[in-house]
Amino acid sequence: MKLAKVIAAGDVTPAIVEGDELRLLDVSQVDHVRTLTDILHSPDPMGLAKFLVDTKLDPVAVDEVEWLAPLDRQEVWAAGVTYKRSQIARMEESETGASHYDKVYEADRPELFFKATPNRVVAPGKPVRVRYDSNWSVPEPEFAVVVNPDLKIVGYTIGNDMSARDIEGENPLYLPQAKLYKQCCALGPSILLAGNDELDLAATKIKLVIERNGETVVTGETALDQLHRKLSDLVAWLGRDNEFPAGAILLTGTGIIPPDEFSLEHGDMVHMTVTGIGTLTNPIVKD
Ligand code: DO4
Ligand code: MG
């Protein structure tokens, strides 16, 4: 089951995504349940979502509502250098920091960094930003896990970890500036609820398409079995001596890096597709 957060008839409403239609949820039916997060953090998100379907309302077409990023107050964190491709690209872009990327790929402790507060996260269809002081920026399409306050993985979504490669490459200590700025992250379009079955990692494909003036200029593809770490290990490291009363979303790193000569430009369109979740599309703004 997939859940989304939308604005329908002027109200912010969680919804179940069923193909091209949405079932809006009536959250007033249960005490203390008002938001998408309340559903995600409940003992049985799937059962609760089914119970909350507003049967008085017909299904709504997906293009009749405004889609919001599927989070409320969660912090957004990210893991880095979790795919071989990312390790190689980082070593190439950073003269001074190459050995750090090499070591962290193999180390027990992963690279984890704070990526965004909810106000910096943009919705599907809304612009993500290239910093005006960057001349080499790329999108990073990442499988993202949605974690409840008990550090249980309750769902999966798509995250765009916008990255200024020139700023990060100049000095690894500039990482927070390369990664965390206004409109630096997009999430969505929906959250695939975690079921009891193990994810089929090899079958979970992650794809990137970048368009410029209507032409495809970059494509890339990987699969979750190329991730060098277990999702549960990344979450366990995130939770070490830390707490997330509002839950957290953890981007698990990129396995797709555009060619070195490519940098995003104002007006580019970025499409990220993950099997079972959907496609996250955002235009690029640089001003
Ligand atoms: O080490 C810098 C960031 C790495 C990253 O964002 C990634 O591998 O996805
Ligand atoms: Mg990344």
Side-chain angles (χ1 to χ4, degrees):
M1 178 189 284
K2 290 191 287 187
L3 297 183
K5 180 176 169 182
V6 300
I7 303 182
D11 292 324
V12 175
T13 313
I16 299 176
V17 186
E18 290 175 347
D20 291 341
E21 292 184 331
L22 297 171
R23 297 303 312 241
L24 302 180
L25 304 185
D26 175 6
V27 283
S28 68
Q29 298 182 72
V30 176
D31 283 350
H32 309 300
V33 173
R34 294 291 174 267
T35 63
L36 172 63
T37 303
D38 294 335
I39 299 169
L40 293 170
H41 293 183
S42 73
D44 175 16
M46 219 173 275
L48 179 58
K50 277 187 200 152
F51 175 81
L52 292 174
V53 169
D54 193 336
T55 48
K56 298 185 298 300
L57 293 176
D58 288 333
V60 180
V62 290
D63 53 7
E64 276 177 33
V65 299
E66 180 179 344
W67 289 64
L68 300 175
L71 85 171
D72 294 303
R73 295 190 306 110
Q74 288 90 340
E75 294 176 357
V76 181
W77 287 70
V81 198
T82 50
Y83 290 77
K84 193 76 190 159
R85 181 70 194 93
S86 180
Q87 179 214 17
I88 292 167
R90 255 80 205 192
M91 289 177 71
E92 284 169 357
E93 85 197 1
S94 173
E95 273 178 33
T96 50
S99 68
H100 298 298
Y101 296 105
D102 199 20
K103 284 185 190 140
V104 82
Y105 183 72
E106 295 298 347
D108 193 26
R109 182 190 290 271
E111 178 197 6
L112 293 174
F113 57 93
F114 189 73
K115 174 61 190 174
T117 45
N119 63 303
R120 294 184 171 88
V121 176
V122 306
K126 296 286 189 282
V128 283
R129 177 170 294 275
V130 168
R131 290 180 65 117
Y132 77 84
D133 55 358
S134 167
N135 292 313
W136 188 22
S137 278
V138 294
E140 293 189 352
E142 305 195 9
F143 189 82
V145 294
V146 182
V147 171
N148 74 9
D150 298 326
L151 290 174
K152 181 173 176 221
I153 297 177
V154 294
Y156 312 105
T157 189
I158 306 171
N160 180 351
D161 172 23
M162 289 291 291
S163 300
R165 291 189 69 184
D166 46 359
I167 297 175
E168 180 187 340
E170 191 179 335
N171 187 325
L173 295 181
Y174 293 154
L175 186 80
Q177 295 175 72
K179 294 287 193 177
L180 202 171
Y181 51 90
K182 65 180 176 181
Q183 297 162 272
C184 65
C185 181
L187 291 174
S190 57
I191 292 176
L192 173 67
L193 292 181
N196 294 327
D197 298 336
E198 288 280 299
L199 272 178
D200 184 341
L201 301 181
T204 305
K205 308 278 186 212
I206 302 167
K207 294 183 188 167
L208 172 69
V209 174
I210 305 176
E211 290 176 297
R212 180 165 296 162
N213 303 320
E215 305 270 312
T216 298
V217 286
V218 173
T219 58
E221 179 172 336
T222 189
L224 209 47
D225 63 349
Q226 299 304 303
L227 179 65
H228 183 59
R229 298 183 183 262
K230 284 168 72 177
L231 296 174
S232 55
D233 287 347
L234 289 174
V235 171
W237 277 100
L238 181 70
R240 272 205 188 192
D241 245 333
N242 216 339
E243 55 193 2
F244 300 93
I249 297 188
L250 175 64
L251 279 54
T252 58
T254 189
I256 304 172
I257 311 260
D260 284 355
E261 58 280 10
F262 178 84
S263 182
L264 286 166
E265 288 179 8
H266 183 90
D268 288 353
M269 291 295 290
V270 177
H271 310 275
M272 301 177 168
T273 303
V274 173
T275 312
I277 301 176
T279 299
L280 173 64
T281 293
N282 298 93
I284 297 296
V285 66
K286 182 176 184 187
D287 53 26

